[in-house]
Amino acid sequence: MLKKRKKLGRGVAVIGAGMSKFGMFRDKDSKDLFAEAFNETIASVDKGVDPNEIEALYLGNFSNDFFVRQAHWGAMISDLIGLAPKPATRTEGACASSALAFREGVFAIASGFYDMVLVGGVEEMSKSSSTEVAEGLALATVPYEGKVGFTFPGVFGVIATAYFAKYGASHRDLMNITIKSHKNAPFNPKSQIPFTVLELMHAKIESLKKKGRPVPEWKNEIDFLSDPGANPSIAWPMHLYDCCPISDGASCMLLVAEDLAKNFTDKPLSVAGIGQGSGRGFHAAPSLTSFEATKNAAEEAYNMSGFKPEDIQFSEVHDCFSIAEIIHTEDLGFFKPGEGFKVAEEGLTALNGPMPINTSGGLKSKGHPVGATGTSQLFEVWKQLRNEAGERQVKKNNLRIGAAHNLGGTGGTCTFTILERK
Amino acid sequence: METENISDISYEKYLNEDKLMGSRCKKCGELYAPPRPICIKCYGTDMELVEMKGDGKLAAFTCISVGPPFMVEEGFDRKNPYCVGVVELEEGTRVDARIEGVDTGKPETIKVGMPVSVHFLHREKNNTQITYLAFKPK
Ligand SMILES: [Zn+2]
């Protein structure tokens, strides 16, 4: 009966990508941010492209309805970029919204219906108060969780205590994730917090001195992150430096049928594997220390591409909270269950390590405008595979396979996308 | 007797009566709490509500310092965090709940695996009674 091929009807390639700077912007709205990402995307097409050739838009946005009281962003952005009256579709999968847009765009081309589509995402969060943002994000938790007072950091706090109890990890292991990701941050010009933890520590010392306050004697980053004055608990064991910031931003990519790609660039990336999964929340999840949606996404993407975890040369991994990176690198097969918490300290996931994770600095330092995150992660893969990542370039011989993992909500929607330079 | 609707609405209605309910599939016997209207094991649709004993162990938890507005209204903040967690019931299913009777100022004293029993927290909001599912250490 069903064949369950799980292959694309025809190949799809990325020929352009761009993203706005991520940050908290008083004087920029969603349209301004998307325009920044769109202009960079068009300019990134090596042999040029006429934007009139774009046939459709798939746009990820989680909750501008709540954050800035304006919904219906597909049509809004289609007007901005001169696409109307051609179709625009909004996708929503919480923090994985634009990875879903990417996937729908791939399917639209693979089906043979379109030759060229724009995919991307946008989110404008910083104009809401932090309580409002917490409330808005909590809309993406499972109702049984939200109703008893779980917040987003709270959900990941729960996952962390389950992981700690099972594998003997501690908050110190989470600090190593934060320190590692922030080491890449100064090299990313789009980063919201382009500083290492050490630099942030020195900045804090300077500001305390200026205010005439007593300065604690922090010997190193771990010392600094262990001080509840500098790194207060948000949802124990999640502390401030375990959580990504509140951000505004946009990102997008231009996709074409693979057989047309050479008309636009000699360095296209092909979509080798694309997977997605759903998760159920604590009441029904098979495990509290693993994301079933990530596992399903990985299985789909690995099967489609024929690649194995060891073939992936670097990956962006959704690190909305430090514990999330640890567990996802296990679920994606990069490390064994119960091993993921040790690898950052050993340097395995550093920029110059054998398996670089979050060369962009991760959501923790790059920023996490939720609906824009998925395609911004793929933007990093695009930069790396085209050898355009500057000081944060992964220096491996024959760099050709990179991936991005995106998580929505508390694990309700996850994607895993593998791009290949042929 | 009229068949009762199995839904999140009935789940909450029973919480107001100090009852933690689940549902059992009459065809294959699978038990769910919170209750499900569809058996996702055999796709049987003949489900019955069953009351849970209310005993279990703490599977995981967190102590939240920055809560949503409805928890802030109850007086929780950085100086007074609240605990929520996941409880694995004796019957084998998991529920999300508030955890009472623990020292949220010293979260390292709260232990995963500790036995807990159900406790219903009644609150009034806009003249409506709401009940939070909660557990306390035994
Ligand atoms: Zn059944």
Side-chain angles (χ1 to χ4, degrees):
Chain A
M1 244 185 33
L2 300 180
K3 289 206 179 70
K4 302 198 173 175
R5 284 176 71 240
K6 295 199 174 172
K7 304 273 182 198
L8 298 183
R10 62 171 174 164
V12 178
V14 184
I15 58 158
M19 66 180 274
S20 73
K21 192 172 177 347
F22 281 5
M24 297 171 88
F25 304 111
R26 281 265 150 252
D27 53 347
K28 279 187 211 172
D29 65 12
S30 291
K31 284 163 72 178
D32 301 327
L33 293 162
F34 198 86
E36 237 178 277
F38 176 75
N39 289 337
E40 184 177 340
T41 301
I42 298 302
S44 75
V45 180
D46 296 327
K47 298 180 188 175
V49 65
D50 176 0
N52 287 301
E53 301 274 15
I54 299 170
E55 296 173 280
L57 165 70
Y58 294 86
L59 181 81
N61 173 252
F62 163 51
S63 200
N64 265 8
D65 331 34
F66 183 89
F67 296 132
V68 291
R69 307 282 162 200
Q70 171 66 59
H72 206 176
W73 282 90
M76 224 74 65
I77 298 295
S78 84
D79 175 26
L80 172 79
I81 62 170
L83 179 77
K86 287 178 270 184
T89 305
R90 169 177 165 181
T91 56
E92 193 269 302
C95 323
S97 293
S98 58
L100 299 191
F102 182 91
R103 201 165 184 262
E104 293 310 310
V106 167
F107 290 155
I109 291 175
S111 74
F113 198 90
Y114 296 124
D115 283 334
M116 182 188 288
V117 304
L118 185 74
V119 300
V122 67
E123 205 82 44
E124 192 181 339
M125 303 168 75
S126 76
K127 290 172 191 78
S128 305
S129 71
S130 57
T131 328
E132 283 169 337
V133 170
E135 198 182 0
L137 290 173
L139 297 175
T141 61
V142 173
Y144 307 120
E145 297 164 7
K147 277 193 179 155
V148 293
F150 278 78
T151 55
F152 248 48
V155 167
F156 288 86
V158 159
I159 292 169
T161 56
Y163 187 92
F164 290 0
K166 188 167 176 184
Y167 296 117
S170 72
H171 185 233
R172 197 193 154 113
D173 299 304
L174 304 185
M175 295 176 195
N176 286 317
I177 299 288
T178 302
I179 293 168
K180 181 270 300 173
S181 293
H182 265 285
K183 276 194 178 141
N184 301 333
F187 308 133
N188 186 350
K190 310 279 186 173
S191 185
Q192 178 167 355
I193 310 173
F195 307 107
T196 63
V197 174
L198 207 58
E199 287 168 338
L200 293 166
M201 180 181 111
H202 289 305
K204 182 87 182 177
I205 290 172
E206 284 314 305
S207 103
L208 287 172
K209 274 187 192 161
K210 226 178 241 171
K211 288 178 193 157
R213 299 245 198 93
V215 180
E217 283 179 36
W218 299 310
K219 286 192 288 292
N220 52 35
E221 296 113 306
I222 294 280
D223 233 21
F224 172 65
L225 294 177
S226 305
D227 181 346
N231 189 18
S233 175
I234 303 292
W236 194 91
M238 294 295 104
H239 291 63
L240 183 63
Y241 279 77
D242 294 301
C243 310
C244 64
I246 291 165
S247 317
D248 310 318
S251 59
C252 57
M253 302 187 106
L254 200 52
L255 308 180
V256 297
E258 196 162 28
D259 55 357
L260 301 173
K262 291 282 174 190
N263 296 316
F264 301 99
T265 173
D266 294 327
K267 294 196 288 180
L269 302 183
S270 72
V271 179
I274 188 161
Q276 187 182 329
S278 303
R280 294 175 262 200
F282 296 136
H283 66 286
S287 162
L288 298 180
T289 55
S290 167
F291 291 91
E292 55 178 332
T294 294
K295 285 190 157 176
N296 195 78
E299 192 185 319
E300 281 193 358
Y302 287 134
N303 284 345
M304 178 184 147
S305 64
F307 294 138
K308 296 186 179 65
E310 53 270 31
D311 296 321
I312 310 299
Q313 294 170 298
F314 65 95
S315 186
E316 290 289 293
V317 173
H318 197 96
D319 61 327
C320 49
F321 299 94
S322 51
I323 184 69
E325 176 175 317
I326 294 175
I327 295 180
H328 288 128
T329 54
E330 297 176 3
D331 288 340
L332 295 168
F334 300 151
F335 304 106
K336 291 196 190 90
E339 298 287 318
F341 74 91
K342 303 171 186 161
V343 299
E345 191 170 17
E346 292 165 358
L348 304 185
T349 50
L351 186 57
N352 58 2
M355 183 57 190
I357 299 290
N358 290 329
T359 55
S360 66
L363 315 185
K364 170 68 189 78
S365 55
K366 183 183 72 179
H368 182 29
V370 292
T373 287
T375 34
S376 82
Q377 295 175 309
L378 290 163
F379 170 85
E380 178 68 11
V381 180
W382 158 268
K383 283 287 187 193
Q384 291 286 353
L385 288 180
R386 285 165 52 96
N387 199 19
E388 292 170 351
E391 285 185 272
R392 65 182 196 284
Q393 181 64 48
V394 173
K395 291 184 186 72
K396 282 189 179 185
N397 291 330
N398 193 25
L399 193 69
R400 58 179 201 94
I401 302 164
H405 161 270
N406 192 195
L407 165 142
T410 53
T413 304
C414 292
T415 64
F416 187 54
T417 308
I418 306 170
L419 299 181
E420 182 182 12
R421 182 175 56 79
K422 283 187 176 162
Chain B
M1 203 182 106
E2 211 180 315
T3 12
E4 206 163 6
N5 212 14
I6 294 177
S7 66
D8 289 351
I9 296 172
S10 57
Y11 177 65
E12 287 188 11
K13 192 192 89 186
Y14 276 104
L15 286 181
N16 278 334
E17 297 168 15
D18 287 6
K19 284 178 179 162
L20 171 57
M21 302 302 277
S23 68
R24 191 193 308 279
C25 172
K26 286 189 184 171
K27 195 170 148 201
C28 78
E30 190 71 8
L31 181 70
Y32 302 101
R36 286 179 185 272
I38 298 169
C39 175
I40 56 169
K41 199 174 166 199
C42 77
Y43 288 96
T45 51
D46 196 5
M47 307 290 286
E48 61 181 345
L49 279 171
V50 286
E51 188 178 349
M52 303 286 109
K53 254 177 77 188
D55 293 320
K57 57 179 193 179
L58 187 65
F61 70 95
T62 179
C63 293
I64 299 182
S65 307
V66 185
F70 68 92
M71 295 303 285
V72 175
E73 274 166 34
E74 275 196 43
F76 294 107
D77 58 19
R78 282 183 191 279
K79 290 200 183 91
N80 180 29
Y82 61 94
C83 184
V84 290
V86 178
V87 172
E88 206 160 296
L89 297 175
E90 257 175 27
E91 290 88 346
T93 73
R94 278 193 222 114
V95 291
D96 305 312
R98 281 169 65 168
I99 309 298
E100 297 278 300
V102 291
D103 187 352
T104 55
K106 292 197 185 86
E108 41 308 308
T109 61
I110 306 171
K111 297 293 176 208
V112 164
M114 72 180 187
V116 291
S117 56
V118 74
H119 164 72
F120 298 91
L121 278 181
H122 299 291
R123 297 284 182 271
E124 209 178 279
K125 210 179 259 180
N126 307 326
N127 298 320
T128 319
Q129 193 198 322
I130 51 164
T131 306
Y132 293 110
L133 179 63
F135 284 78
K136 270 183 175 172
K138 271 188 182 168

